[in-house]
Amino acid sequence: FKAALQSRRMPPRLVIFGEQHHQPQVLRAQMQSLFDLNELRRGSPQNYMSMVMEHFSILDQGMLDDFTAGKISAAELAERYEAQSSEGFDLNHYIPLLALCQELEVRVVGGFPPRSWARAVFKESEGLQTVKSADEKRCNEQGANSGSLAVPRFDSSELVAQVSHAHRSYIRSLMRPDAPPTFPKLPEDKEGNVSQDKPFPTHLLDEHLPQFSGFETAQALKDAFFAHAIVSQLLRSEHETVFAVCGLGHSEYGIGA
């Protein structure tokens, strides 16, 4: 990664680091990557930088801003996270990365919807409407408290339900990696017969069938919010660089965030 950066005059706008959670070697690589990005931005006009993380929800932004501004210590951040956040990661593992952001003046942004929102989508057919209402409430409260939103309201919730068959199959594989992939049923002819001799019509894998609840919809909600949080930072300035940290399953090209 450092060698790739050395060939550039300007930092990349976006770097997504797909991780295995809580791995010490991965943490060291993340810190080195963040440091190298910061070194490159120091001599360029592209001098704004933020780190968007899966490990904090968009409701956790207040504690992140307080830590970055030096208003609370790392121990106080860990205490507030355990008491208030629903995300449940071992924050002690990520404190060195957060401390480096504080030192480099990199804003840390919570990029995921709260787990309660994902559970609503998982269980309820009207879960997306529940999320839409909760997000509107968040924006009203955070905007009133801070005057600005790190992540504005998500206005594309209807797209979360439009997950292709290939996308759904991939998401299922995250929970059942040893199971075979699933394929759509082959179309029948006028007599109701299915031909097994022809090549599989792969265009069927791209079909978007509405799905308003279930595990696949909840996972798509997480990816959609994370992508929205990233784009929100990129739109803040044309000179913004975003370093995004999430699990490997959320970073798969074309299927994850």
Side-chain angles (χ1 to χ4, degrees):
F1 180 69
K2 186 172 185 178
L5 288 181
Q6 288 174 341
S7 64
R8 303 176 64 103
R9 293 183 180 179
M10 299 280 287
R13 295 295 313 279
L14 171 63
V15 174
I16 296 181
F17 196 119
E19 69 166 18
Q20 287 183 314
H21 301 313
H22 305 123
Q23 299 294 315
Q25 302 93 326
V26 172
L27 176 66
R28 286 194 290 270
Q30 289 167 342
M31 295 180 68
Q32 185 65 57
S33 299
L34 185 68
F35 181 82
D36 293 339
L37 276 172
N38 182 69
E39 287 293 292
L40 186 57
R41 76 165 174 146
R42 287 171 59 186
S44 77
Q46 198 166 306
N47 54 6
Y48 297 103
M49 194 166 169
S50 54
M51 181 172 72
V52 182
M53 297 186 73
E54 167 188 350
H55 314 73
F56 294 89
S57 86
I58 53 179
L59 299 184
D60 297 330
Q61 194 59 47
M63 67 178 78
L64 285 171
D65 289 342
D66 286 347
F67 176 73
T68 303
K71 295 179 180 179
I72 59 174
S73 66
E76 289 170 323
L77 174 64
E79 289 175 6
R80 283 178 59 177
Y81 183 80
E82 185 174 356
Q84 300 174 18
S85 179
S86 63
E87 301 315 290
F89 286 88
D90 179 5
L91 201 59
N92 290 319
H93 171 83
Y94 294 96
I95 286 294
L97 182 61
L98 296 169
L100 180 60
C101 285
Q102 186 186 55
E103 179 182 340
L104 301 179
E105 298 181 340
V106 173
R107 187 181 192 185
V108 183
V109 176
F112 258 40
R115 290 182 185 271
S116 59
W117 296 9
R119 281 196 297 271
V121 171
F122 176 75
K123 295 180 179 180
E124 306 170 16
S125 60
E126 299 296 325
L128 287 174
Q129 182 57 48
T130 300
V131 169
K132 191 173 182 179
S133 300
D135 194 33
E136 187 170 349
K137 178 182 178 182
R138 169 192 71 92
C139 293
N140 291 335
E141 292 177 351
Q142 289 185 351
N145 292 335
S146 66
S148 63
L149 289 167
V151 180
R153 186 171 58 191
F154 179 61
D155 290 326
S156 302
S157 57
E158 68 281 356
L159 295 179
V160 173
Q162 303 298 319
V163 182
S164 70
H165 191 102
H167 194 165
R168 292 200 304 275
S169 183
Y170 170 74
I171 290 175
R172 290 191 202 106
S173 76
L174 298 176
M175 297 301 291
R176 300 194 298 270
D178 297 328
T182 59
F183 292 88
K185 292 182 179 179
L186 291 169
E188 299 177 351
D189 60 22
K190 294 179 180 180
E191 286 73 35
N193 300 316
V194 173
S195 173
Q196 302 289 348
D197 299 330
K198 298 178 181 179
F200 183 84
T202 54
H203 68 275
L204 295 178
L205 297 173
D206 295 328
E207 286 187 347
H208 290 68
L209 304 176
Q211 182 172 322
F212 296 98
S213 63
F215 173 71
E216 297 93 336
T217 312
Q219 191 79 356
L221 179 79
K222 294 177 182 180
D223 288 336
F225 257 94
F226 194 63
H228 172 62
I230 290 170
V231 171
S232 300
Q233 308 316 302
L234 293 174
L235 292 177
R236 190 170 66 141
S237 166
E238 62 179 329
H239 304 304
E240 183 87 19
T241 291
V242 176
F243 185 64
V245 180
C246 60
L248 286 170
H250 297 292
S251 60
E252 187 73 15
Y253 181 77
I255 292 182

